[in-house]
Amino acid sequence: MEKGSKVYIAGHRGLVGSAIVRVLKEAGYENLLLRTSAETDLRNQAAVDALFAAEKPDYVFLAAAKVGGIYANDTYPADFIRDNLQIQTNVIDAAYRSRTKRLLFLGSSCIYPKPAPQPMPESCLLTGELEPTNEWYAIAKIAGIKMCQAYQKQYGFDAISAMPTNLYGPNDNFDLEKSHVLPALIRKFHLAKLAMAGDAEGIMEDEVRYGAIPNDVKESLGLNSGLSPKVILWGSGGPYREFLHVDDMADACLFLMNRQVVPNNLFNVGTGTDITIRAVAELVQKIVGFSGEVVWDASKPDGTPRKLMDVSRLHDLGWKARISLEDGIRAAYAHYCDQTETL
Ligand SMILES: NC(=O)C1=CN([C@@H]2O[C@H](COP(=O)(O)OP(=O)(O)OC[C@H]3O[C@@H](n4cnc5c(N)ncnc54)[C@H](OP(=O)(O)O)[C@@H]3O)[C@@H](O)[C@H]2O)C=CC1
Ligand SMILES: C[C@H]1O[C@H](OP(=O)(O)OP(=O)(O)OC[C@H]2O[C@@H](n3cnc4c(=O)[nH]c(N)nc43)[C@H](O)[C@@H]2O)[C@@H](O)[C@@H](O)C1=O
């Protein structure tokens, strides 16, 4: 990408989009096209066509999507499949028609079959059954990859796809029903620490900044009963997950946008190492500094037992993740606390 190119970051206020904006600005890209969902609802084909016809961006990072953790995916399957199919179909097609030079589509590691070999290479796409808690979202993401490949095959459109593993970092979603596990761990342990210290004002500030605390979490914190606070986590703690700091993800996106990638157009993005949910919970608990009880709620789903990415394709091109899990969580927690202190 030339420094003066017009670069559209779809989803620029989200976890990934905001990190891409930071990385682009640091690298000297200033001609950025940014639109909120209120300004341009990407599910609306006419609005997307109008935006592309007027702006004709040279490059597109497609980081706008309907996103959520295991509970949201399992509870709102129609919303996840519909919104994602609409957003990606509209944006990929409009980008092709307005002669965008390259588009990077973001998928997810959940596109791979539940029984995939570990680590999972890009070649295991469409070789088996999907994990039921997120198959609707996964099907939309698979359609996005295939749409990029089809537009490349039929029209020669340079559309490539990156499949991130589980991400975390600044501007994450901390809604305790809809979030992914890492932001949930940070918030649950932080609230429990405040409850243990009797810091009612801190809990109120947190609620103002990060949204209402669900009743079951309030109960576990003993806010009304005076009982000692407990952190309730979901499932067995046994599944493995691979976590990548979003600054590394954004760095990988810029790397892919600027590399000659032919003949491949699908790239796993991760660290290549994973950890059990129980172990990552212990790590977050240590970093936040909560010394009370942790309870595992077996009525909640575990999801897929393991989804470790094979990242050799990206390593072979010359990119590797740099931020360790412990450093990344420390930074994410510091950012989380800064956001409430500025209230
Ligand atoms: N977070 C994770 O752990 C992972 C994320 N990914 C993928 O990375 C990408 C980015 O995810 P992430 O940053 O976490 O998501 P976020 O939920 O943090 O952000 C999503 C962004 O999409 C925008 N958006 C949603 N719906 C619309 C719409 N109808 N019209 C316009 N914009 C819309 C939102 O815009 P606004 O703020 O203006 O409303 C928001 O900025 C997604 O493709 C996701 O599937 C993949 C694997 C893991
Ligand atoms: C990135 C990926 O993210 C989603 O898949 P997921 O990895 O299963 O999602 P998750 O981060 O929400 O959970 C990971 C694990 O953690 C456990 N867990 C414990 N306690 C909490 C908890 O408090 N909250 C949450 N959310 N999970 C918890 C939880 O039970 C599960 O075992 C996809 O739907 C899809 O969006 C996708 O592509």
Side-chain angles (χ1 to χ4, degrees):
M1 290 194 298
E2 314 71 41
K3 287 285 148 72
S5 308
K6 186 182 279 189
V7 187
Y8 175 36
I9 302 94
H12 71 281
R13 295 198 303 185
L15 173 67
V16 178
S18 60
I20 293 176
V21 170
R22 288 197 296 278
V23 119
L24 286 172
K25 285 189 172 166
E26 274 163 28
Y29 294 93
E30 295 294 342
N31 191 5
L32 307 184
L33 175 61
L34 311 172
R35 291 286 183 278
T36 64
S37 58
E39 290 165 333
T40 307
D41 184 340
L42 298 174
R43 295 170 301 181
N44 178 332
Q45 189 184 1
V48 175
D49 286 349
L51 176 70
F52 275 82
E55 299 289 348
K56 299 197 184 335
D58 297 308
Y59 296 92
V60 175
F61 291 90
L62 180 38
K66 174 100 183 153
V67 182
I70 192 166
Y71 176 80
N73 266 274
D74 205 21
T75 312
Y76 308 106
D79 297 353
F80 274 80
I81 193 164
R82 182 200 56 231
D83 286 13
N84 285 312
L85 284 172
Q86 287 176 333
I87 292 171
Q88 67 204 34
T89 302
N90 292 340
V91 174
I92 295 167
D93 184 59
Y96 156 64
R97 282 187 291 105
S98 68
R99 300 182 190 279
T100 291
K101 292 178 188 166
R102 177 175 279 181
L103 174 144
L104 177 67
F105 169 68
L106 295 191
S108 163
S109 58
C110 70
I111 57 158
Y112 295 120
K114 188 168 183 171
Q118 304 289 327
M120 310 178 296
E122 289 86 351
S123 58
C124 70
L125 183 66
L126 291 173
T127 56
E129 296 274 314
L130 296 165
E131 154 61 30
T133 53
N134 54 38
E135 64 177 306
W136 325 96
Y137 170 80
I139 290 282
K141 293 294 186 183
I142 293 168
I145 296 167
K146 288 293 161 193
M147 189 159 166
C148 289
Q149 291 172 348
Y151 273 54
Q152 192 163 70
K153 184 174 153 76
Q154 186 176 339
Y155 302 131
F157 179 41
D158 190 357
I160 62 174
S161 302
M163 296 305 114
T165 184
N166 291 47
L167 305 170
Y168 68 97
N171 301 325
D172 214 333
N173 174 4
F174 289 96
D175 176 316
L176 289 174
E177 281 175 347
K178 295 185 180 151
S179 77
H180 290 99
V181 63
L182 223 141
L185 291 173
I186 289 177
R187 190 171 183 201
K188 284 180 172 177
F189 281 119
H190 180 71
L191 287 171
K193 184 172 79 168
L194 295 178
M196 192 87 121
D199 186 350
E201 199 185 317
I203 291 175
M204 252 163 52
E205 273 189 16
D206 187 278
E207 222 174 351
V208 171
R209 174 67 185 87
Y210 292 109
I213 304 168
N215 283 337
D216 59 331
V217 176
K218 279 196 168 149
E219 241 170 67
S220 69
L221 295 174
L223 296 183
N224 306 323
S225 61
L227 294 172
S228 61
K230 283 186 296 203
V231 166
I232 300 184
L233 300 178
W234 298 350
S236 66
Y240 284 77
R241 290 293 182 271
E242 177 183 2
F243 296 99
L244 179 73
H245 192 279
V246 75
D247 287 351
D248 271 338
M249 181 62 210
D251 189 57
C253 289
L254 181 56
F255 176 90
L256 281 170
M257 210 44 138
N258 276 324
R259 284 296 174 293
Q260 186 57 257
V261 293
V262 175
N264 294 314
N265 57 17
L266 172 60
F267 298 89
N268 290 344
V269 188
T271 60
T273 54
D274 58 4
I275 178 170
T276 63
I277 294 298
R278 189 176 292 272
V280 79
E282 285 166 4
L283 184 56
V284 176
Q285 180 173 11
K286 180 185 86 172
I287 289 168
V288 172
F290 170 69
S291 50
E293 194 186 350
V294 176
V295 176
W296 293 88
D297 176 359
S299 71
K300 295 286 197 307
D302 268 345
T304 195
R306 201 173 181 203
K307 46 175 172 175
L308 178 63
M309 295 282 220
D310 179 339
V311 283
S312 45
R313 186 173 279 181
L314 201 48
H315 284 186
D316 290 348
L317 274 183
W319 186 89
K320 272 195 176 140
R322 281 185 284 215
I323 303 171
S324 75
L325 183 58
E326 180 153 356
D327 288 352
I329 295 174
R330 283 190 191 283
Y333 181 50
H335 189 269
Y336 180 92
C337 293
D338 283 351
Q339 298 296 305
T340 47
E341 277 157 20
T342 55
L343 280 179

